[in-house]
Amino acid sequence: MTGASVTGAEPSPDPTEATDAEPSDLTPIRIVLAKLGLDGHDRGIKVVARLMRDAGFEVVYLGLRQTVDMVVAAVEQEDADAIGISMLNGGHLTLAPRMVEAVRTAGLDVPVIIGGIVPDADIAKLLEAGVAAVLTPGTPAEELVRVVRGAVSGA
Amino acid sequence: MSPRVDVPIADLFERARTGERRALGRLLSFAEAGGSRADELTDLVHPHTGGAHVVGITGAPGAGKSTLTGQLVAHADDAGMRCAVLAVDPSSPLSGGAILGDRIRMDPVVRPGAFIRSMATRGHGGGLSLAVPAAIRVLDAVGFDRVVVETVGVGQIEIDVASAADTVVVVVTPGWGDAVQANKAGLLELADVLVVNKADRPGADDSRRDLELMLDLTVLGAWRPPIVLTTATEARGIGELHGTLVAHRSFLGDSGTLPDRRRRRARHELVTRVEVLLARLTRSQVATPDGLALLDAVAERRTTPSAAADSLLHAVIARA
């Protein structure tokens, strides 16, 4: 999906053609992207960060070796609308529920989206644990953007 | 955080003052978005401001500003000084999106409680020049002792932002250029403190000498910008930089130049506010039948751009 273009993205507002609309109507969606624990494979999350930037998102990129508490702290300070966690080392059944729990404990209402290598059999378990969506390799960029937008708007 | 329900701004402010990060995060979003809620917020917090030392850190991409900022915050924290960081990164001019990656350099060094906020430039004309002062004001009002604003020193907007600080730190690295570069007009003229970061690399002393030479040729006031050598990745020189910032803040107070600085900041902010307002009015005036007729007239060379602009300006002022 590296080479995919994001055709579903809304074009950015051209400042020279702006109207009288309140500037806050144009606020981009802010998403915190991170990897938890010792999973060091960050090629995928970097690709996703770039795709999302190109689709008009503001990506707060935390990168590797985060704890769930670090992610929660970043979400609070950045007033983020969503959390994207990349998992490629099979730790998802342990770490994803912990992430969801930490978000709930903090009293935040922010969707947690998991991206990475997740066996089909585990997807239902993650959704049951409160994960908003699971995106596996091969997901087209348009789908990624649609899912994240949907999760943010509660659809 | 929660659904975007309308929690009264005054409530959020009270919660933010007691240290609630989520409330502060939300207030900064209002400040960043601009518009009527940002104005309401600014009106609310303005009386509570003036206590924080606002430090601008700027320099070329890759100079080590984020790492330096993180170390500086950690050091100040150890000294009992509460710091907040506003890290400004560019938005993509094509998509309007942004990758805000400054936390990746700061999170490993700062304490868990440190407050860092990333801000994208968001392209709307003059928007950042208003959003940054608004955000600084919020952080000041909730009681931070020092507010560090980090920007990439490449564009005019970033220079404006940095120069709105009480103390401007310009970061260079060994090999960035020679004395001729140093004497070119630009960012260096704004510096109150000069930092040569990555000082473990060859050429650091040459850079220091070039900067000293530049300062020798500059007509300076009572404050000669100190040159501090740092290696941020190893936390070297951070104590000296911290001390230099404290000294500059004292100098501003003792020498009576602080009111001048703050007046300069106020002037810049007021002019920008009016510019943004005028720009908005101008764009909507252009969209009226009269405005469109003017565009045609210029495009068909029946009138000149300057005459058309004059007539547009008069229409805008009449409406304002």
Side-chain angles (χ1 to χ4, degrees), chain A residues 12 15-16 22-24 28 30 53-54 56-62 73 76-81 106-110, chain B residues 1 3-4 21-22 25-26 29 33 35-36 94-100 103-104 114-118 120 122 283:
Chain A
S12 73
T16 59
E22 278 277 295
S24 49
R30 290 166 72 84
R53 185 200 80 173
D54 291 345
F57 289 80
E58 285 181 1
V59 177
V60 179
Y61 185 77
L62 303 186
E76 290 180 332
Q77 295 175 14
E78 302 287 354
D79 194 21
D81 305 293
L108 296 165
D109 182 18
V110 175
Chain B
M1 110 189 202
R4 308 260 151 186
R21 292 180 304 192
R22 285 164 62 194
R26 178 55 54 84
S29 295
S36 54
L94 297 179
S95 73
I99 294 179
L100 307 167
R103 298 188 79 100
I104 208 172
F115 196 95
I116 301 168
R117 175 65 175 236
S118 314
R122 289 197 183 167
R283 286 187 209 106

Side-chain angles (χ1 to χ4, degrees), chain A residues 37-154:
Chain A
L38 295 174
D39 177 2
H41 306 91
D42 62 355
R43 166 91 187 155
I45 192 173
K46 282 177 172 160
V47 171
V48 168
R50 178 59 194 270
L51 282 175
M52 300 201 74
R53 185 200 80 173
D54 291 345
F57 289 80
E58 285 181 1
V59 177
V60 179
Y61 185 77
L62 303 186
L64 296 170
R65 290 186 286 281
Q66 300 292 301
T67 65
V68 293
D69 291 337
M70 289 162 87
V71 173
V72 165
V75 168
E76 290 180 332
Q77 295 175 14
E78 302 287 354
D79 194 21
D81 305 293
I83 299 168
I85 303 289
S86 157
M87 293 187 173
L88 295 167
N89 67 348
H92 49 271
L93 285 182
T94 312
L95 289 172
R98 262 190 226 166
M99 187 71 249
V100 170
E101 194 51 40
V103 168
R104 281 188 189 147
T105 304
L108 296 165
D109 182 18
V110 175
V112 176
I113 298 147
I114 304 294
I117 300 174
V118 177
D120 289 346
D122 290 349
I123 292 179
K125 291 180 196 164
L126 290 182
L127 296 177
E128 201 172 312
V131 168
V134 179
L135 298 166
T136 51
T139 304
E142 296 85 348
E143 175 72 1
L144 168 79
V145 169
R146 197 186 60 73
V147 167
V148 175
R149 284 188 195 281
V152 168
S153 61

Side-chain angles (χ1 to χ4, degrees), chain B residues 69-87:
Chain B
T69 301
Q71 295 284 6
L72 194 60
V73 166
H75 186 94
D77 206 11
D78 289 342
M81 188 183 255
R82 289 183 66 221
C83 294
V85 177
L86 209 54

